[in-house]
Amino acid sequence: MACKLVILFFFVNLLKQIPKVSATVPAIIVFGDSTVDPGNNNQVSTVLKSNFEPYGRDYNGGQPTGRFSNGRIATDFISEALRIKPAIPAYLDPKYDIEDFATGVSFASAGTGYDNATSDVLSVIPFWKELEYYKEYQNKLRKHLGKDEAHQRFSESLHLISIGTNDFLENYYILPTRSSEYSVDEYQSFLIGIASNFIRELYKLGARKVVIGGLPPMGCLPLERTTNMFFGSDCIDEYNDVAKDFNKKLQGAVTELRQELGGIHLVMSSPYDKLMEMIRNPSHFGFEDAETACCGTGFFEMSYLCDNMNPFTCSDANKYVFWDAFHPTEKQMPFWLIMWSKLP
């Protein structure tokens, strides 16, 4: 009962924002990593894929789409809440065309980061390439809608950015290059600079409504807890502190960009506090386990290690905060809507 009340609270909080924006948000445009990739990596030569079972087992009758989830991801719920459509398609998915993309599209790629070096680790789409795809999309939309209507669509669409965790957990703390070039503080500033320039480019391309997400408590992801096994599998405080520091810097950059870019509606929204609350008190949100994941043993499996051959995968993902060792379950997504409730 308490869980239902909490879910209702979050949906009411989001829906309060909708009357302000739903009439003027004709589309949702998405950039980022696996948190918002609905299947672009299916079309990329990389080992980081999820277009196979048990991924997607709770998606529309059990369809693995390339989403790193047992079901839908956050941007799907946002689109539905804004009464646009129930799911955001992947730009590279050949099943869709510009008519589908006109009301929402994702250029995100699992495994990517702000830093080009991060996308190189698993040969995924770099962040800058996502922007190039957006430019290509804009040209297609001008032909589809006409120049004037397309430009209005660009300015009224909601542009969402969710990225950054991989830069630290897949790159900085794993590989020697960046950690030898930058201190953690310097690397944070390096990434913030990339984020700021990306938003400036979106602005030049006509975007006026932008939400950028901060980092989660990444030291509490099941995979990171597993690497901390000799210390009781607790959350890695260093990683969480880095996330909090990064979020503060990102908020500062957002404040500066609001002053710099006239007419932009830009907000930074962070999942950190709400997800940490969920991890500390899973039963308050209707979960039983916030330490291990549903898929496999729950300690380290993701992508091809999380497949139908793994006999340890749980039968009910709704009991878990995390689906695989790095990504949340679909049930967690309504709670993540609080992250995006500051819609511009």
Side-chain angles (χ1 to χ4, degrees):
M1 182 63 172
C3 174
K4 291 180 180 178
L5 290 175
V6 172
I7 292 175
L8 178 62
F9 169 78
F10 286 136
F11 271 116
V12 168
N13 186 63
L14 177 71
L15 292 171
K16 283 180 180 177
Q17 312 296 323
I18 290 176
K20 304 175 185 177
V21 298
S22 59
T24 55
V25 176
I28 295 178
I29 312 299
V30 185
F31 306 90
D33 55 24
S34 58
T35 55
V36 290
D37 179 3
N40 282 309
N41 274 21
N42 298 352
Q43 312 302 322
V44 177
S45 297
T46 176
V47 297
L48 193 58
K49 297 179 185 289
S50 59
N51 56 340
F52 47 83
E53 297 178 347
Y55 286 99
R57 72 182 191 187
D58 299 310
Y59 182 93
N60 194 24
Q63 299 179 31
T65 61
R67 289 167 171 81
F68 279 79
S69 171
N70 60 302
R72 290 192 293 167
I73 54 180
T75 42
D76 297 325
F77 283 96
I78 294 168
S79 178
E80 184 175 53
L82 289 173
R83 305 186 184 100
I84 299 174
K85 54 187 177 184
I88 300 293
Y91 182 65
L92 298 183
D93 191 330
K95 295 195 303 289
Y96 301 100
D97 58 25
I98 191 60
E99 186 172 352
D100 302 298
F101 299 147
T103 53
V105 61
S106 176
F107 305 100
S109 176
T112 200
Y114 288 112
D115 187 353
N116 289 339
T118 302
S119 63
D120 290 341
V121 176
L122 292 171
S123 300
V124 296
I125 302 168
F127 197 38
W128 66 265
K129 183 64 175 180
E130 294 185 25
L131 191 65
E132 292 302 307
Y133 281 140
Y134 180 51
K135 294 175 182 177
E136 181 180 88
Y137 160 80
Q138 286 194 328
N139 288 332
K140 293 179 181 178
L141 197 64
R142 290 186 187 100
K143 293 178 182 178
H144 179 65
L145 297 178
K147 184 176 179 180
D148 292 342
E149 186 176 347
H151 286 182
Q152 184 176 0
R153 181 71 55 97
F154 303 147
S155 66
E156 294 180 349
S157 294
L158 184 62
H159 296 71
L160 303 180
I161 304 169
S162 178
I163 195 170
T165 303
N166 296 322
D167 289 302
F168 295 98
L169 300 187
E170 183 185 305
N171 184 357
Y172 188 86
Y173 284 109
I174 298 297
L175 303 176
T177 304
R178 291 307 193 201
S179 58
S180 65
E181 292 176 336
Y182 301 101
S183 66
V184 173
D185 181 72
E186 290 170 340
Y187 191 59
Q188 289 174 337
S189 298
F190 170 69
L191 299 180
I192 295 295
I194 295 172
S196 296
N197 287 334
F198 191 90
I199 293 171
R200 290 186 182 99
E201 288 300 313
L202 286 180
Y203 182 84
K204 290 178 184 177
L205 293 170
R208 292 298 181 269
K209 297 179 179 180
V210 183
V211 178
I212 185 167
L215 298 183
M218 55 191 185
C220 293
L221 299 176
L223 182 62
E224 305 315 315
R225 285 178 180 268
T226 299
T227 65
N228 204 30
M229 188 175 295
F230 292 111
F231 298 93
S233 296
D234 291 333
C235 297
I236 300 178
D237 291 336
E238 178 185 355
Y239 293 176
N240 287 346
D241 289 341
V242 167
K244 288 187 286 188
D245 291 343
F246 179 88
N247 290 346
K248 289 178 183 177
K249 290 183 177 181
L250 183 59
Q251 182 59 69
V254 164
T255 300
E256 292 178 1
L257 286 167
R258 284 194 201 124
Q259 298 173 347
E260 175 187 334
L261 306 175
I264 195 170
H265 299 280
L266 171 65
V267 297
M268 177 250 177
S269 195
S270 173
Y272 188 97
D273 291 337
K274 187 53 58 182
L275 184 53
M276 181 58 84
E277 184 181 348
M278 197 180 301
I279 290 168
R280 288 173 174 166
N281 302 290
S283 62
H284 292 181
F285 298 86
F287 297 103
E288 296 180 10
D289 192 333
E291 296 184 6
T292 59
C294 169
C295 198
T297 62
F299 295 118
F300 61 88
E301 293 94 340
M302 62 178 289
S303 192
Y304 285 109
L305 294 177
C306 172
D307 62 18
N308 254 1
M309 300 300 291
N310 196 315
F312 301 106
T313 298
C314 76
S315 59
D316 185 2
N318 287 334
K319 296 179 180 179
Y320 291 78
V321 172
F322 294 98
W323 163 247
D324 65 18
F326 214 80
H327 304 98
T329 55
E330 180 187 66
K331 182 180 176 181
Q332 196 197 118
M333 288 301 98
F335 299 108
W336 273 56
L337 286 179
I338 193 68
M339 168 182 169
W340 306 104
S341 64
K342 298 177 180 179
L343 298 177

